[in-house]
């Protein structure tokens, strides 16, 4: 079938917590006409397809089935969530060898079947796996990217909104760099209604000091550890974030999201993937925005880049 006349298809590889919750969020949003579910455990994908398809009468007409990589052929976007998740106490970078081996099988197959589609990575460590996916797919950088710090930025905005008692949609603040321990809060540009946070605090009578702000950042950065310790995994917020990225692509929304993509000549950083505020549209990565960072933030970003480069160089790319 000619891809331009096909119903809008999204493929999801990996039907675990993240993949199944994402498919559910996508179904409820009604932005895809077809959702194909792929997992090495085909029975799991079949079970999820059956369960999800019974949601359809309460949501939108959507064709959902358990498929294989050939079904990626006409997919506008293939979202990859397959692989091992963190165990309590494990960092995202600890997962790298296990998940790189899985990606070496998955990514060339997806790219072969869907050379004109977009590949969106969620599996951790997401920045490293996005970089490997770019290399292993051979697709253009604007069509291979990761969910990056979209989740951390959501956690940050949520916590700031609670502290300042405003809607999180009104909080403009970003986490950049690695989706992981070296991530960086961009305090210097954080604002509510265009007012820097200390000014907003003064205007509304909310106490403000850097110690409290640092606590908010620590809770943001360590949220996954705290959730995994209690319930074993995190998936609702990342699934909603993936759904938001997919919606921005399919509806050509030019939304600014902190996704992880190839960095080129960004304060001298090159040839790695990390998160920066990025315009996301139907073509994928429309533009990575150049932020006016202060010295501390820039040092933090460079440290994040170094951590990621070290991890990438520890993997055999052949
Ligand atoms: N990017 C983020 O913000 C974010 C947030 C939460 C979790 N994650 C990551 O997402 C990944 C998935 O987490 P989860 O909780 O869904 O894990 P999970 O263990 O519940 O599911 C993983 C799924 O991948 C499948 N799988 C494994 N190897 C495969 C292969 N070769 N081909 C196809 N499918 C394969 C498994 O059968 C399983 O169903 C983890 O790496 C986790 O760290 C990312």
């Amino acid at each position: 079938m000619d891809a331009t006349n096909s119903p809008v298809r999204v493929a999801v590889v990996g039907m675990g917590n993240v993949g199944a919750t994402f498919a559910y969020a996508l179904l409820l949003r009604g932005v895809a006409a077809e959702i194909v579910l792929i997992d090495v455990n085909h029975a799991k994908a079949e079970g999820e397809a059956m369960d999800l398809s019974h949601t359809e009468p309460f949501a939108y007409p959507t064709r959902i089935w358990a498929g294989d990589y050939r079904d990626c052929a006409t997919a506008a976007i293939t979202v990859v969530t397959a692989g091992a998740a963190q165990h309590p106490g494990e960092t995202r970078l600890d997962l790298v060898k296990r998940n790189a081996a899985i990606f070496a099988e998955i990514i060339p197959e997806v790219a072969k079947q869907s050379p004109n589609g977009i590949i969106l990575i969620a599996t951790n460590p997401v920045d490293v796996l996005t970089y490997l996916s770019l290399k292993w797919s051979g697709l253009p950088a604007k069509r291979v990217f990761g969910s990056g710090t979209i989740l951390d930025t959501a956690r940050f905005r949520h916590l700031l909104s609670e502290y300042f008692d405003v809607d999180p949609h009104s909080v403009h603040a970003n986490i950049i760099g690695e989706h992981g321990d070296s991530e960086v809060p961009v305090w210097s540009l954080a604002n509510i209604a265009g007012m820097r946070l200390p000014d907003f605090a003064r205007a509304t009578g909310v106490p403000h000091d850097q110690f409290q702000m640092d606590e908010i950042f620590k809770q943001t950065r360590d949220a996954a550890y705290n959730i995994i310790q209690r319930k074993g995994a995190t998936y609702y917020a990342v699934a909603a974030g993936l759904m938001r990225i997919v919606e921005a692509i399919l509806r050509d929304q030019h939304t600014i999201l902190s996704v992880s993509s190839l960095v080129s000549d960004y304060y001298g950083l090159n040839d790695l993937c990390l998160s920066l505020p990025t315009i996301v549209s139907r073509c994928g990565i429309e533009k990575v925005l150049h932020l006016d960072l202060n010295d501390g933030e820039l040092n933090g970003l460079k440290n994040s880049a170094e951590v990621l480069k070290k991890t990438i160089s520890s993997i055999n790319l052949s």
Side-chain angles (χ1 to χ4, degrees), residues 35-289:
I35 305 174
V36 57
L37 313 179
I38 301 167
D39 198 289
V40 70
N41 179 350
H42 189 70
K44 173 82 161 77
E46 280 181 331
E48 294 294 0
M50 291 158 78
D51 195 3
L52 283 163
S53 63
H54 303 158
T55 308
E56 194 199 3
F58 305 113
Y60 299 89
T62 309
R63 189 177 157 237
I64 302 177
W65 72 104
D68 60 37
Y69 290 102
R70 284 169 298 185
D71 294 307
C72 295
T74 57
I77 309 167
T78 299
V79 180
V80 187
T81 75
Q86 281 164 274
H87 296 301
E90 213 176 19
T91 71
R92 293 177 182 92
L93 294 177
D94 289 335
L95 297 175
V96 74
K97 289 227 159 65
R98 271 183 282 162
N99 286 344
I102 290 172
F103 268 52
E105 286 171 24
I106 294 175
I107 298 299
E109 194 55 34
V110 172
K112 187 174 106 191
Q113 298 295 339
S114 182
N116 300 315
I118 288 172
I119 302 180
L120 174 61
I121 309 299
T123 307
N124 278 318
V126 67
D127 305 291
V128 174
L129 293 175
T130 300
Y131 181 81
L132 296 179
S133 299
L134 189 57
K135 298 283 164 195
W136 290 340
S137 67
L139 300 186
K142 60 167 49 191
R143 288 200 276 117
V144 182
F145 51 101
S147 58
T149 55
I150 187 171
L151 175 57
D152 317 71
T153 293
R155 288 172 174 154
F156 194 43
R157 290 172 67 203
H158 162 73
L159 289 166
L160 286 168
S161 82
E162 277 197 328
Y163 183 82
F164 289 104
D165 196 20
V166 289
D167 182 339
H169 293 94
S170 305
V171 178
H172 303 285
N174 279 287
I175 300 288
I176 61 171
E178 181 201 359
H179 168 56
D181 298 341
S182 72
E183 65 190 30
V184 181
V186 186
W187 289 117
S188 69
L189 300 174
N191 72 85
I192 299 173
M195 299 162 85
R196 295 280 156 84
L197 299 184
D199 297 333
F200 183 82
R202 217 171 295 121
T204 54
V206 176
H208 177 277
D209 64 55
Q210 201 49 45
F211 177 78
Q212 280 157 324
M213 295 299 105
D214 291 344
E215 279 305 304
I216 285 179
F217 170 60
K218 277 187 207 148
Q219 281 182 48
T220 302
R221 186 194 55 200
D222 300 339
Y225 295 114
N226 292 328
I227 298 168
I228 289 168
Q229 206 176 41
R230 288 166 171 81
K231 61 172 269 194
T234 76
Y235 40 89
Y236 294 120
V238 68
L242 290 168
M243 186 276 292
R244 190 65 196 88
I245 298 169
V246 166
E247 182 186 42
I249 296 168
L250 296 179
R251 293 198 167 139
D252 194 26
Q253 289 176 327
H254 293 238
T255 309
I256 296 171
L257 298 166
S258 54
V259 292
S260 180
S261 69
L262 185 69
V263 172
S264 300
D265 198 19
Y266 200 92
Y267 287 106
L269 300 176
N270 284 294
D271 197 33
L272 80 156
C273 293
L274 51 70
S275 288
L276 293 160
T278 301
I279 303 174
V280 177
S281 69
R282 188 63 186 84
C283 74
I285 301 290
E286 184 85 37
K287 190 175 178 50
V288 177
L289 299 168

